[in-house]
Amino acid sequence: MVKVAKFGGSSLANTRQFQKVKAIIEADSTRQIVVVSALGKSQVTDDKITDLLYILYAHMKHGVSYADLWQTIAARFMTVKTELGLQFPMEEALGKLYQEIQKETVSEDYLVSRGEYLTALLMSEYLGFTFVDAKEIIRYGYDGKIDYLATASQFQVYRKKYAKILVPGFYGAYPNQQIKLMSRGGSDVTGAILARVAQATLYENWTDVSGILLADPRLIDRPERVSFATYQELQELSFMGANVLHEEAILPVQEVKIPIQIKNTNCPQDPGTLISETAQTTRHNITGIAGKKGYIALVLGKRQMISEIGFLYRAMEIIKNHEIFIEYILSGYDNVAIILPKKEVELSLYQLMAELKATLHLDSLEILEDIALVVVVGRSAGKNVNLSANVLGILGAAGIDVGLVSQSTAELNIVLGVKRSDFAQTIQKLYAGLVKGGDA
Ligand code: ASP
């Protein structure tokens, strides 16, 4: 039995957090592979080391002085080292990095990855685990995709030599050893990849909340915690903006059916949320209500559209040529609504509309601006058949205008397009009606 335990930035914000991590690791000898993010925020006034490193890089590039910024970064690492009485020569490591920055020989990926690298060096000594650089294990092809074969074989090399290893998250390397940084929050992905190649029994993801909440606590007062969720439910929620795990952290473990457990470093006794292939039914069978703002919908109208072969294909091709990502397509008898991220479409919107109109010989083309998407993820247990009726009933009674609705077939996910100004109220009303069974 082996567990991979990944700790996020808030679990590593200062000495006190390091001590909590140590207690967690020592409480279970099967926690043999540890992944860490970079030092994070311990209080509102703190900064995440990763944010500071990005800013440092921008200063360096634009020739702006960064002496103070560097001092802040260095001091965070030095404080943890000194307070924990560690031997690692942090001054030297920082000095070497500072020289590299001054010579401007560092890439952004390399510089930013030093946050996890240095944090991992401190933590490995503190835990008595062997430090293994992610650049030696997490291998990418030149196409930017993870190379599982190379990663698995590299992993085995180290695993055979060392029983307990600690790997920095958030980056890997191309075959030529150049560092490749992942997208923000990527240490979750490192943990998932390692859980997969280690054939772990469990992937523990340690953070600062006791599991997934049914809705955003900034919108809902003390929302319920979800004890069990399926990979698919989680995927849907992460995609729609629920800030749980990095979206790309699910597939690597889902494919080999390794469960993920979200746990709270500050309350390790809390059960957290267990994510696996199937999940138990619950009283209300709702796994989450989440959403994102910042969309527009283009509603293409044409009589008899449904009988025109290749209509949608041609519409999509035009959008593809503008390199715009299509978020959803909702089609009707003689119209289709294509939902696009506003940010991506802003510059080319009028040109795109002109092309759609001319090429597809549309009768009408309407734009719905400032749309927010809200998703209700339900658990497909027979008793949930009324979900869409309930959802629309709740919003109708609240006087919220739902411009677009889409319901998936396999899972009971309902996606709603509402006005941006109705976003918070939509989530509040749905939570009150579906979870609490009453009025908001
Ligand atoms: N430290 C990186 C970030 O802040 C990666 C991570 O935390 O997973 O995005």
Side-chain angles (χ1 to χ4, degrees):
M1 200 152 110
V2 54
K3 291 180 189 161
V4 170
K6 177 259 162 179
F7 293 88
S10 58
S11 305
L12 305 155
N14 52 32
T15 305
R16 177 79 196 100
Q17 295 304 88
F18 268 57
Q19 289 162 341
K20 290 182 192 169
V21 170
K22 186 170 182 152
I24 291 167
I25 294 300
E26 288 180 347
D28 181 345
S29 62
T30 65
R31 292 180 177 132
Q32 291 164 3
I33 299 158
V34 174
V35 175
V36 291
S37 295
L39 305 179
K41 270 183 188 230
S42 58
Q43 49 200 19
V44 222
T45 50
D46 262 358
D47 286 299
K48 290 178 77 164
I49 285 291
T50 305
D51 292 338
L52 297 178
L53 289 169
Y54 272 114
I55 301 172
L56 179 65
Y57 185 80
H59 279 49
M60 179 193 100
K61 269 273 139 242
H62 295 102
V64 180
S65 149
Y66 48 75
D68 289 351
L69 191 54
W70 173 258
Q71 280 314 321
T72 311
I73 296 170
R76 290 283 301 277
F77 286 108
M78 287 307 296
T79 306
V80 174
K81 173 200 148 126
T82 315
E83 288 182 1
L84 293 174
L86 301 174
Q87 301 299 311
F88 174 71
M90 184 55 84
E91 302 85 334
E92 275 173 41
L94 289 168
K96 180 173 159 274
L97 180 58
Y98 194 61
Q99 275 179 8
E100 289 171 326
I101 300 168
Q102 283 184 315
K103 281 196 238 129
E104 297 192 14
T105 50
V106 290
S107 68
E108 185 175 49
D109 280 17
Y110 173 81
L111 177 57
V112 174
S113 73
R114 297 306 88 184
E116 337 308 274
Y117 174 80
L118 294 172
T119 305
L121 281 161
L122 289 178
M123 186 60 95
S124 64
E125 181 186 340
Y126 186 52
L127 296 182
F129 275 45
T130 304
F131 169 85
V132 181
D133 194 346
K135 126 175 168 214
E136 304 300 334
I137 295 196
I138 305 289
R139 289 303 179 88
Y140 285 93
Y142 286 116
D143 58 0
K145 295 207 177 98
I146 183 81
D147 178 344
Y148 274 115
L149 275 180
T151 301
S153 83
Q154 282 299 100
F155 173 79
Q156 288 313 332
V157 171
Y158 289 96
R159 178 75 175 149
K160 276 194 196 121
K161 279 203 238 162
Y162 309 107
K164 298 186 169 187
I165 61 172
L166 192 138
V167 183
F170 194 34
Y171 70 97
Y174 292 109
N176 64 0
Q177 293 281 302
Q178 195 191 321
I179 297 282
K180 176 183 166 13
L181 203 62
M182 301 176 183
S183 55
R184 293 302 304 262
S187 303
D188 285 344
V189 184
T190 309
I193 293 170
L194 289 181
R196 180 183 173 127
V197 295
Q199 300 177 330
T201 30
L202 183 65
Y203 170 27
E204 289 182 335
N205 193 289
W206 291 86
T207 174
D208 55 1
V209 286
S210 293
I212 303 178
L213 299 174
L214 253 162
D216 186 340
R218 286 167 301 185
L219 298 175
I220 305 289
D221 183 29
R222 281 173 290 128
E224 274 184 28
R225 187 177 53 80
V226 180
S227 309
F228 301 94
T230 67
Y231 299 115
Q232 218 177 339
E233 290 164 353
L234 185 68
Q235 191 89 265
E236 187 80 21
L237 285 169
S238 316
F239 181 64
M240 282 301 280
N243 193 5
V244 189
L245 268 187
H246 191 295
E247 314 175 44
E248 289 162 33
I250 303 165
L251 203 61
V253 284
Q254 176 177 13
E255 283 175 344
V256 288
K257 298 196 171 57
I258 297 168
I260 310 171
Q261 189 157 26
I262 314 270
K263 296 273 287 175
N264 189 348
T265 303
N266 305 317
C267 293
Q269 67 287 353
D270 284 358
T273 300
L274 188 71
I275 299 138
S276 58
E277 191 79 343
T278 53
Q280 298 167 6
T281 57
T282 60
R283 181 174 49 81
H284 43 65
N285 281 327
I286 302 290
T287 318
I289 304 172
K292 284 201 273 193
K293 296 180 197 159
Y295 293 98
I296 65 155
L298 290 180
V299 187
L300 285 52
K302 186 172 184 187
R303 284 181 57 192
Q304 298 292 318
M305 165 191 294
I306 204 148
S307 55
E308 188 177 321
I309 293 174
F311 179 87
L312 263 184
Y313 172 79
R314 277 179 285 137
M316 284 195 248
E317 185 151 53
I318 296 170
I319 297 172
K320 183 195 114 209
N321 290 342
H322 283 264
E323 296 191 356
I324 296 167
F325 177 77
I326 299 178
E327 194 89 12
Y328 274 99
I329 299 184
L330 313 178
S331 61
Y333 183 72
D334 52 11
N335 66 48
V336 56
I338 302 181
I339 301 180
L340 308 168
K342 191 169 175 188
K343 251 212 208 117
E344 282 187 38
V345 83
E346 242 158 12
L347 278 179
S348 53
L349 182 60
Y350 291 100
Q351 196 190 338
L352 173 67
M353 288 175 70
E355 279 174 41
L356 286 169
K357 221 168 171 175
T359 317
L360 301 168
H361 308 292
L362 300 177
D363 295 328
S364 62
L365 179 57
E366 204 191 327
I367 328 182
L368 306 178
E369 279 191 270
D370 276 330
I371 294 210
L373 294 178
V374 171
V375 65
V376 178
V377 178
R379 194 155 291 157
S380 44
K383 77 187 205 212
N384 228 3
V385 285
N386 290 327
L387 187 61
S388 46
N390 285 345
V391 164
L392 295 176
I394 291 166
L395 298 180
I400 295 173
D401 181 19
V402 181
L404 309 154
V405 185
S406 153
Q407 178 167 1
S408 66
T409 43
E411 287 290 309
L412 276 179
N413 296 338
I414 299 173
V415 179
L416 309 155
V418 296
K419 285 196 210 103
R420 184 191 163 95
S421 51
D422 285 338
F423 178 72
Q425 215 207 347
T426 303
I427 293 185
Q428 284 152 355
K429 291 287 175 193
L430 287 173
Y431 187 86
L434 297 171
V435 179
K436 290 270 167 250
D439 254 350

